[in-house]
Amino acid sequence: LTVTQPWLFNKPISLSGTLYNSKYDYTSYDEHAYGGKITLARRFFDNTLKIGSTYGLSLEKIDITESNPSKYLKDQEGRHTESYVTPFIERDTLDSSVFPTSGALSNVSVRVAGLGGTERYTKTVAFHSIYHKLFSSPLIAHVRGEAGYATGISGKHVPIQNKFFLGGIDSVRGFSEGKISPEDD
């Protein structure tokens, strides 16, 4: 459930709040998470540039479903609490946020977890997406690139649910979800 006020105090400032309860069944583990986040952002230059920050709190439970899990996977099992802040900057020149046909969308964010809770890590993600109409046809070309880096803080590891996994319809089609990644012995 997300509620957004796009013009806070009649200024180009947006405030949004999200509450969620999610369950994911992966090959090796199941994740149940619930929590919330609040985002405050300011728009500049005819709403094409947005600078803001998100604060979130999440309670997660990891259940291992693999019959012979690795030590790393076993260490992930149990309940975890994550408190994080994510500053971001975004540039949006799309002609439509629902069905874009031209323009670009770029975003850089740095998630810092460790403001309380059990998780301590940073995760930096940058992406750039371009849309372009092909000739005078109704076809649209879309190219997206994404790069990221995550590392633990104070001797902690990045939680499994916040690592990068490639494969699947949202990243590299033709590969099963999460199958383009290092495999554990």
Side-chain angles (χ1 to χ4, degrees):
L1 174 67
T2 300
V3 176
T4 301
Q5 170 54 274
W7 287 87
L8 192 62
F9 308 120
N10 289 325
K11 297 193 182 305
I13 298 172
S14 64
L15 177 66
S16 69
T18 300
L19 294 174
Y20 61 89
N21 183 355
S22 61
K23 182 158 177 32
Y24 296 100
D25 297 327
Y26 297 106
T27 306
S28 301
Y29 67 95
D30 293 341
E31 174 192 1
H32 182 209
Y34 59 95
K37 61 185 178 179
I38 188 163
T39 301
L40 183 66
R42 172 83 158 85
R43 295 182 306 279
F44 300 93
F45 307 115
D46 293 330
N47 299 328
T48 58
L49 182 68
K50 182 168 36 171
I51 299 173
S53 188
T54 298
Y55 170 76
L57 180 64
S58 177
L59 304 169
E60 300 158 350
K61 183 175 182 243
I62 304 291
D63 292 317
I64 306 302
T65 57
E66 189 171 298
S67 60
N68 190 15
S70 67
K71 180 182 176 342
Y72 172 76
L73 198 53
K74 283 185 218 173
D75 290 345
Q76 300 294 310
E77 190 168 28
R79 297 182 186 277
H80 308 277
T81 304
E82 184 177 326
S83 175
Y84 63 88
V85 64
T86 308
F88 64 88
I89 186 166
E90 180 176 281
R91 184 168 184 270
D92 182 350
T93 60
L94 298 177
D95 62 345
S96 168
S97 61
V98 180
F99 296 112
T101 60
S102 67
L105 178 63
S106 303
N107 183 300
V108 176
S109 66
V110 179
R111 184 179 205 167
V112 180
L115 308 170
T118 58
E119 308 300 340
R120 304 220 184 325
Y121 67 94
T122 62
K123 183 176 183 179
T124 304
V125 178
F127 76 82
H128 184 67
S129 211
I130 300 171
Y131 294 82
H132 186 73
K133 196 169 198 164
L134 294 176
F135 314 108
S136 59
S137 73
L139 298 175
I140 308 299
H142 174 227
V143 177
R144 177 186 165 108
E146 183 171 347
Y149 179 75
T151 186
I153 298 174
S154 301
K156 293 273 195 167
H157 295 287
V158 177
I160 194 167
Q161 66 272 22
N162 288 300
K163 288 187 173 268
F164 296 100
F165 294 97
L166 286 175
I169 195 166
D170 290 330
S171 65
V172 182
R173 293 178 185 210
F175 292 91
S176 298
E177 187 172 325
K179 291 300 178 188
I180 305 175
S181 60
E183 300 247 345
D184 195 345
D185 293 340

